[in-house]
Amino acid sequence: GYPSAVWGEEQVSEVTLKVGGMTCGKCVKRVQKSLTEIAGVDGAEVDLEAGKAVVKGKDLDAASLAAVLTEAGYPSAIWGEDEAGEVILKVEGMTCGKCVKRVQKALAGIEGVEAAEVELEAGKAVVKGRGLVVTSLTASLTEAGYPSAVWSEQEEELLLVSPPGHSTKEIQTPMVSSAKLQAGSIQNVERSLFHVGGMTCSACVRQVESHITKIPGIISAEVSLLMNQAEVEWDKDSLDAEAIATHVRSIGYESRPLSTQADDECTLDVRGITCAACVGRIERGLGKAEGVLSASVSLAMNTAKIRYDKQVLGVRDLIKILDDIGYPASLREAESQESPKDIQAKESRRWRRRLAQAIAFTLPAFLIAMPLENVEPFESILMTKVFNGVTLQAVLLWALCTPVQFCIGSPFYSAAIKSLSHGSASMDVLVMLGTLAGYIYSCVTILIAAVNPNFEPTHYFEGSAFLITFVLLGRTLEASAKGEASDALSALMRLAPSTATVIVSDDSEKGYKEEEVRLEMLQVGDVIKVVSGGRVPCDGRCLKGTDSMIDESLVTGESAPVSKAPEDKVVGGSVVIDGYLKMKATRVGSDTFLAQVVKLVADAQASKAPIQLIADRIAGVFVPTIVAISVLTFTVWYTCCCFHLVPEEWILMGKPFLFSFLFGNAVLVVACPCALGLATPTAVMVGTGIGARLGILIKGGAVLETLHKVTAVALDKTGTLTLGQMTVSSAVIVSGSSESRVWTYLASAEQGSKHPIARAIGNHSATVQGCQTLPVSNVKSIAGKGLECEIDGVHVEVGKSSWIKSRTSDDGWKQLEDLEDHGHTTVYVAADGMVIGGLALADVVKDEAYEVIQNLKDAGIKVLMLTGDNRSTAISVANEVGIEDCNVTADVVPQLKSDEIERLQAEGHVVAMVGDGVNDSIALAKADIGIALGAGADVAVEAADVVLIHNNLNDVYTAMDLSRKTVRRIQWNYFWAMAYNLTAVPVAAGVLYPFTRTTIPPAVAGLAMAMSSVSVVLSSLCLRLYKPPALRGTGSKQRLRRAMGRVGRALGHESFGQYERAHEVLCDPFLFLSH
């Protein structure tokens, strides 16, 4: 869409292009036709063997010519004289070192690329090689999720020559270091988690993120308030994890690196190491073992850190190797990976201990300051003067409240001081100022009374102690409530058992031996036994002898137990309801389905939603603003008192300073930035947790916030609207061809593919036709069209009719014309340029498809179908599910799906693409929201923003509804937090005092402040009452309509109008009688 020309050449009389994808004379004619139709082109000579096109004309735009041919299906680029050179690309979407590696890997796999240097900060890739095709480079990177275009250094402009449909998708990135990091040259990038304790509000998060990203060597950092964690990506050659934790501790927050040990790495405690010779012997022994990649032994620590190939051996094998060479070993007890709820529980216990200590001092202070002061004989005892004007009551209160102020309340002071020392202000600053002001005021009055016997001191020690106690109470309740907010993730983590029963030997004569091993020590290939009531420890396959019923609701969403037979798959976390399960482990550790779900949910709950930026911006100015209002409040009231603008009876105890001070102090302690900071993350945590419980994995707060804004939904057909369980309904063999030959070619070409069509062909060939597969070579897959290969020296092509027709002669096609007349999916096969047969495949529409689509329409959402199938099949399915013919796009390759999504976005739609997460990866990445449906245990999470574990379209609507309810809860939280501060601060400042004579004592203000944070968390917890919406139209009428539609489909009709009419007549008694 951006016509470009070679720089410095306004008149180009001849342009030479490198043209890819040409295979025959027909291709040459298509290329010539495409070029000659361009304005300004006088002629075009195309060389098939050289893959070259020489274009002549006036004012030719070389980049536009290449783009036209690329759109026609022939990737093209400007031809270099020696075909060797360098291409500089602008690459978007890179956020970290892992992105750099993915880009380098994508480029390295392209033919002709010799080297690729990627710069993260500049968003640039310098590609060197011979015969480079620019469009191939940009298309490969865009397909990998990094939209790309040619980079112009001189003008800093983008000369877009990538295929149409590849535009930039807005990607939210974490805070990136301002340091000039050439990430492309970083060879040792590490991503680690750090515990960060002591954060209370958004200001704390901003401070920690800002400080970490200023450390040299840091690439990116993202801090989660609720998870008390920071995810940091850094250059391991520049600094270590402990150094990062030290930097965080220097600004007043607890910090330590959490376990970052890779899944293919372990640390063993080794006994018997006495000298350097032992170290060498152990390292040599481990180095000889197959599968050991590296081993490092520490003499001081008596440990061995080993990297290994977990597909070859496991932890138990490593321990056996060390035992065999004379050094007993055991797996080191790694730092346990605590769940968020456990972390919050620990924090709650810490605050609870401090609260109990504070109450132990504050309760006696309360009795002395208030009730006992008015009861004889305590009043006379407390009013006894011990030194000049200082009473016994004042001394006792000072003694009781000072420990509360400086010992029990020390966390507030230390955090506030370090926060101020780094140029920021958190809520701890308000607590420190509010309590310290009251304490200092009381101390000053006591000192004056000690010097002047006639002075009556007005102390306020108990007020400061009350304030700290109430804040501690709020922190305790808040920590407990935040723990409940993370309950969903904790429940997921508890699904995996801590141990597994491994069968270490199985001999039918001697029986078998069992061994109880820790979950971390499971290995691929282990034979595992699970008894009734036990949980499956990892993913695997059932072995012979298995006879059990398993609850797999984690994956399927169905509560009914599933019967398992040998070779059936089982998923870790499932429960054996009845019987005995014997299985072989296929995926262990972080590779299991449950581990992937836990990681996905944890990442989502730790991420930030864009709406959180509101709280972040407010947090930056909140504390300074409140301090200024507090000072202004004191100044105004004190000035009014001095100028006698305030009636004498208003002034407390006749002391203007104390009267004004209480108003200013109340303003300090009543304001609460915590409520604003908790409004978004608590709701996101609960919302994503509910989604996980329902089988809806939402990848972050940004996705959750965008999902409810969707105005158009594009759905794939096969496996999305249909079950994807295709069967061969009919086949036509061209006369002169052997039926067994056709089926053998089909089965051989499609072997190994997981596509529903390929599986259907393979099953039919093996079970019905009894054909055997043959070895294939030179397999080449053409996205959205088909594949070609060599079988026994014969060039075989299998694919769509349009593609096969373009590559074969016309002979035989008349015999195949009837195949596409019944609205079925068709596949054709050709051998050595001659079509030899075709077949039609049928699929079943999902029961819930019609209801879901009608509910989406009722919500004002435009629904479309994008499919690579023929239009006849697409229209028949669309009619059955309620999609209009004008909203059906058929016969499209994956790239054209992306083009259609871009067209919808250009019309102003927020687009969600629903597909299977594999064939639709380009479209999923292009859409505003990509939804991978029915991924199950083979969850494809790379391209999708939302992964629906259960193969149920209802979850698409539920995900949008959950997003809407969560965002509404976030907005309500913000309203409550803002309303509280906007109301409480003026009231505390005394705005209503002239009318009501009512003030907010600082202690009560502190309690209100603490409760405001708790109320926001409790508000978010109300989301746990969420129930999926009941879809409209799930009754007998809709079931009857679907049945009538299927009747029409079985009879081969494209339009189901007459059958829909029959449905209406049967369902409406008046119409029935009239007929």
Side-chain angles (χ1 to χ4, degrees):
Y2 299 86
S4 310
V6 178
W7 180 265
E9 293 184 23
E10 297 180 2
Q11 301 290 330
V12 182
S13 59
E14 183 177 290
V15 172
T16 303
L17 299 175
K18 182 174 180 64
V19 184
M22 296 190 298
T23 59
C24 61
K26 286 186 177 180
C27 295
V28 172
K29 291 181 181 179
R30 290 193 187 98
V31 170
Q32 287 177 326
K33 183 180 179 181
S34 297
L35 290 171
T36 54
E37 289 177 351
I38 300 174
V41 174
D42 296 330
E45 298 178 5
V46 182
D47 188 339
L48 175 62
E49 293 183 0
K52 182 193 301 184
V54 180
V55 189
K56 297 180 180 180
K58 295 181 180 180
D59 296 326
L60 296 180
D61 184 340
S64 294
L65 296 175
V68 168
L69 290 184
T70 299
E71 187 174 5
Y74 300 94
S76 306
I78 301 171
W79 183 281
E81 291 183 359
D82 57 356
E83 293 194 305
E86 179 181 281
V87 175
I88 302 177
L89 301 176
K90 174 73 175 176
V91 184
E92 300 188 40
M94 296 190 297
T95 61
C96 60
K98 282 189 177 180
C99 295
V100 171
K101 290 182 179 179
R102 291 192 187 106
V103 170
Q104 288 175 326
K105 183 177 179 180
L107 291 171
I110 300 173
E111 183 178 357
V113 174
E114 297 174 353
E117 298 176 5
V118 182
E119 299 178 18
L120 173 63
E121 189 174 34
K124 183 193 297 184
V126 180
V127 188
K128 298 178 181 179
R130 303 183 65 83
L132 298 178
V133 181
V134 176
T135 49
S136 296
L137 300 175
T138 55
S140 295
L141 290 184
T142 303
E143 186 172 351
Y146 302 91
S148 310
V150 175
W151 174 282
S152 172
E153 291 274 24
Q154 295 175 338
E155 298 295 323
E156 294 296 319
E157 294 178 340
L158 293 180
L159 308 179
L160 296 181
V161 297
S162 57
H166 291 297
S167 67
T168 304
K169 180 180 179 180
E170 188 175 357
I171 300 173
Q172 188 173 4
T173 62
M175 187 175 290
V176 180
S177 172
S178 60
K180 299 291 184 181
L181 290 175
Q182 298 298 325
S185 62
I186 296 177
Q187 301 296 324
N188 201 358
V189 177
E190 181 85 6
R191 183 183 288 270
S192 303
L193 286 176
F194 294 82
H195 169 72
V196 182
M199 297 186 295
T200 58
C201 60
S202 294
C204 300
V205 173
R206 284 172 61 91
Q207 183 185 8
V208 174
E209 279 186 345
S210 176
H211 188 76
I212 292 177
T213 52
K214 290 177 183 177
I215 303 172
I218 297 294
I219 298 172
S220 66
E222 188 166 358
V223 180
S224 169
L225 174 62
L226 285 188
M227 303 287 284
N228 288 325
Q229 286 181 356
E231 185 175 10
V232 184
E233 191 169 40
W234 44 285
D235 181 5
K236 202 172 181 181
D237 294 331
S238 301
L239 71 168
D240 57 28
E242 188 56 42
I244 298 173
T246 302
H247 276 281
V248 176
R249 287 195 292 268
S250 70
I251 58 174
Y253 298 94
E254 303 170 13
S255 182
R256 68 179 186 280
L258 297 177
S259 176
T260 57
Q261 188 162 275
D263 194 48
D264 57 354
E265 191 176 82
C266 69
T267 301
L268 301 179
D269 286 321
V270 185
R271 298 186 295 278
I273 304 177
T274 58
C275 60
C278 297
V279 171
R281 185 180 177 191
I282 293 172
E283 289 181 344
R284 286 193 299 273
L286 289 169
K288 293 177 183 177
E290 183 182 359
V292 174
L293 305 178
S294 66
S296 176
V297 180
S298 170
L299 175 61
M301 301 291 294
N302 284 345
T303 59
K305 190 171 185 179
I306 308 166
R307 284 187 61 244
Y308 59 95
D309 183 351
K310 59 186 177 183
Q311 297 298 326
V312 179
L313 76 173
V315 176
R316 300 201 311 279
D317 295 326
L318 295 172
I319 293 175
K320 187 176 185 303
I321 292 171
L322 291 176
D323 286 343
D324 290 344
I325 60 177
Y327 295 92
S330 60
L331 182 64
R332 165 161 282 202
E333 292 285 346
E335 181 179 344
S336 61
Q337 185 66 33
E338 295 176 305
S339 69
K341 190 170 184 178
D342 294 335
I343 294 173
Q344 295 295 348
K346 186 182 294 184
E347 182 181 356
S348 179
R349 286 194 297 270
R350 185 167 61 249
W351 288 118
R352 198 179 299 121
R353 282 196 300 270
R354 289 190 176 272
L355 175 62
Q357 294 167 357
I359 292 175
F361 287 93
T362 304
L363 186 58
F366 167 75
L367 295 174
I368 292 172
M370 296 183 184
L372 297 181
E373 186 182 26
N374 301 313
V375 178
E376 287 291 347
F378 298 106
E379 181 180 2
S380 57
I381 296 174
L382 293 174
M383 293 298 109
T384 303
K385 294 186 177 180
V386 295
F387 186 79
N388 287 341
V390 180
T391 64
L392 178 61
Q393 182 191 46
V395 173
L396 291 174
L397 289 175
W398 175 84
L400 288 170
C401 296
T402 299
V404 177
Q405 188 76 35
F406 297 106
C407 297
I408 299 172
S410 60
F412 303 119
Y413 283 82
S414 58
I417 292 170
K418 289 187 178 181
S419 175
L420 291 172
S421 67
H422 289 86
S424 65
S426 64
M427 178 186 163
D428 296 309
V429 174
L430 295 180
V431 175
M432 181 188 74
L433 292 177
T435 59
L436 197 58
Y439 183 84
I440 292 175
Y441 173 83
S442 301
C443 287
V444 169
T445 59
I446 294 298
L447 290 174
I448 294 174
V451 176
N452 184 359
N454 298 320
F455 181 79
E456 294 185 7
T458 307
H459 47 76
Y460 189 63
F461 291 115
E462 72 282 359
S464 297
F466 288 162
L467 177 56
I468 289 178
T469 302
F470 286 144
V471 173
L472 288 171
L473 173 63
R475 291 286 174 89
T476 303
L477 296 175
E478 182 184 319
S480 299
K482 288 194 292 187
E484 292 299 318
S486 60
D487 185 58
L489 180 57
S490 303
L492 280 174
M493 295 177 72
R494 289 193 297 268
L495 287 177
S498 58
T499 62
T501 302
V502 176
I503 300 175
V504 294
S505 62
D506 193 347
D507 191 315
S508 57
E509 295 181 359
K510 299 180 180 180
Y512 60 84
K513 180 182 176 183
E514 297 178 357
E515 181 179 340
E516 194 86 2
V517 301
R518 286 163 47 190
L519 197 64
E520 299 87 348
M521 296 179 68
L522 281 180
Q523 302 174 179
V524 173
D526 277 343
V527 177
I528 301 169
K529 168 188 171 183
V530 185
V531 298
S532 179
R535 287 193 177 274
V536 179
C538 62
D539 298 350
R541 286 187 178 276
C542 298
L543 296 177
K544 186 177 180 181
T546 295
D547 181 19
S548 61
M549 300 291 289
I550 295 182
D551 177 6
E552 288 190 329
S553 56
L554 169 69
V555 179
T556 64
E558 298 293 336
S559 57
V562 179
S563 177
K564 290 294 179 180
E567 294 305 314
D568 286 348
K569 290 183 179 180
V570 288
V571 178
S574 304
V575 181
V576 178
I577 300 298
D578 186 28
Y580 163 84
L581 174 64
K582 185 178 179 182
M583 60 174 283
K584 184 175 183 179
T586 57
R587 292 193 292 190
V588 298
S590 62
D591 290 339
T592 64
F593 169 68
L594 179 60
Q596 292 178 34
V597 171
V598 168
K599 184 179 185 304
L600 196 62
V601 175
D603 290 345
Q605 293 188 342
S607 67
K608 288 186 178 181
I611 198 172
Q612 176 69 23
L613 296 176
I614 298 174
D616 291 345
R617 284 194 290 266
I618 294 174
V621 298
F622 187 90
V623 173
T625 301
I626 292 300
V627 172
I629 293 174
S630 174
V631 172
L632 180 64
T633 298
F634 171 80
T635 303
V636 169
W637 278 111
Y638 190 69
T639 302
C640 291
C641 290
C642 291
F643 285 92
H644 305 290
L645 300 176
V646 175
E648 291 291 336
E649 61 271 15
W650 288 13
I651 301 176
L652 181 66
M653 301 174 65
K655 297 181 178 180
F657 186 90
L658 177 61
F659 176 73
S660 307
F661 171 80
L662 290 177
F663 282 118
N665 199 24
V667 169
L668 277 179
V669 298
V670 80
C672 182
C674 288
L676 286 169
L678 292 169
T680 297
T682 52
V684 168
M685 176 170 279
V686 177
T688 52
I690 291 170
R693 176 167 54 83
L694 298 173
I696 303 169
L697 306 183
I698 301 172
K699 294 171 67 175
V703 176
L704 189 65
E705 183 178 338
T706 306
L707 194 54
H708 82 289
K709 301 176 183 176
V710 168
T711 58
V713 175
L715 300 111
D716 181 36
K717 180 181 73 67
T718 305
T720 303
L721 289 170
T722 65
L723 293 175
Q725 299 172 355
M726 308 192 80
T727 56
V728 176
S729 58
S730 61
V732 176
I733 308 300
V734 175
S735 58
S737 300
S738 166
E739 183 176 3
S740 62
R741 177 183 176 223
V742 171
W743 284 107
T744 298
Y745 285 165
L746 281 167
S748 301
E750 297 287 7
Q751 62 182 314
S753 174
K754 294 184 178 180
H755 194 279
I757 292 177
R759 288 201 298 265
I761 292 173
N763 292 336
H764 188 86
S765 300
T767 59
V768 179
Q769 301 296 328
C771 296
Q772 300 294 322
T773 59
L774 299 175
V776 297
S777 60
N778 300 325
V779 180
K780 183 180 179 183
S781 178
I782 295 85
K785 297 181 179 180
L787 63 85
E788 55 183 335
C789 61
E790 299 289 333
I791 303 177
D792 275 353
V794 178
H795 185 71
V796 176
E797 296 159 314
V798 180
K800 297 167 61 175
S801 62
S802 58
W803 184 65
I804 297 294
K805 281 180 179 179
S806 69
R807 303 170 70 86
T808 60
S809 64
D810 294 335
D811 298 339
W813 280 102
K814 288 187 178 180
Q815 302 177 46
L816 304 173
E817 289 178 349
D818 294 338
L819 270 180
E820 296 189 12
D821 292 341
H822 299 290
H824 291 169
T825 301
T826 54
V827 175
Y828 299 89
V829 58
D832 286 337
M834 298 288 292
V835 62
I836 60 175
L839 61 152
L841 300 99
D843 200 354
V844 179
V845 174
K846 292 180 179 177
D847 288 341
E848 73 276 7
Y850 178 79
E851 289 81 13
V852 171
I853 289 169
Q854 294 307 310
N855 278 271
L856 289 173
K857 288 180 178 180
D858 291 346
I861 296 173
K862 184 176 183 178
V863 183
L864 307 94
M865 179 198 293
L866 305 179
T867 178
D869 214 335
N870 64 73
R871 185 162 184 82
S872 174
T873 304
I875 291 296
S876 68
V877 173
N879 286 337
E880 189 169 346
V881 300
I883 298 178
E884 296 81 2
D885 292 359
C886 60
N887 289 333
V888 176
T889 304
D891 285 313
V892 290
V893 297
Q895 176 56 53
L896 293 179
K897 289 185 181 181
S898 177
D899 296 346
E900 182 65 17
I901 288 172
E902 185 177 19
R903 182 187 67 78
L904 290 169
Q905 290 171 332
E907 293 176 359
H909 286 290
V910 178
V911 184
M913 173 67 195
V914 185
D916 59 12
V918 180
N919 296 327
D920 304 302
S921 58
I922 298 177
L924 289 171
K926 181 65 183 175
D928 298 285
I929 296 293
I931 303 176
L933 176 70
D938 297 320
V939 57
V941 299
E942 290 298 326
D945 301 302
V946 179
V947 179
L948 307 181
I949 299 176
H950 310 150
N951 193 10
N952 194 319
L953 273 175
N954 289 334
D955 290 345
V956 175
Y957 189 80
T958 300
M960 294 180 182
D961 185 68
L962 177 61
S963 167
R964 183 164 50 252
K965 297 288 179 58
T966 303
V967 171
R968 190 178 301 161
R969 181 60 56 178
I970 291 173
Q971 294 168 344
W972 169 252
N973 288 349
Y974 273 128
F975 170 78
W976 165 248
M978 293 297 295
Y980 166 79
N981 282 290
L982 292 175
T983 303
V985 170
V987 172
V991 171
L992 299 180
Y993 187 80
F995 311 102
T996 63
R997 305 293 189 276
T998 302
T999 62
I1000 301 180
V1004 176
L1007 179 61
M1009 178 267 291
M1011 291 301 103
S1012 67
S1013 297
V1014 176
S1015 64
V1016 167
V1017 178
L1018 293 176
S1019 171
S1020 295
L1021 285 174
C1022 290
L1023 279 172
R1024 295 173 67 176
L1025 302 175
Y1026 174 82
K1027 293 183 179 179
L1031 298 185
R1032 179 188 65 81
T1034 56
S1036 57
K1037 288 186 179 182
Q1038 281 64 38
R1039 288 194 293 272
L1040 181 58
R1041 183 194 183 280
R1042 289 199 304 271
M1044 298 304 296
R1046 287 171 184 167
V1047 169
R1049 191 176 181 191
L1051 295 175
H1053 291 267
E1054 276 191 26
S1055 175
F1056 300 116
Q1058 56 183 312
Y1059 300 101
E1060 292 177 359
R1061 182 64 177 169
H1063 148 261
E1064 293 172 3
V1065 170
L1066 289 172
C1067 290
D1068 191 318
F1070 297 103
L1071 281 176
F1072 181 78
L1073 291 173
S1074 66
H1075 277 68

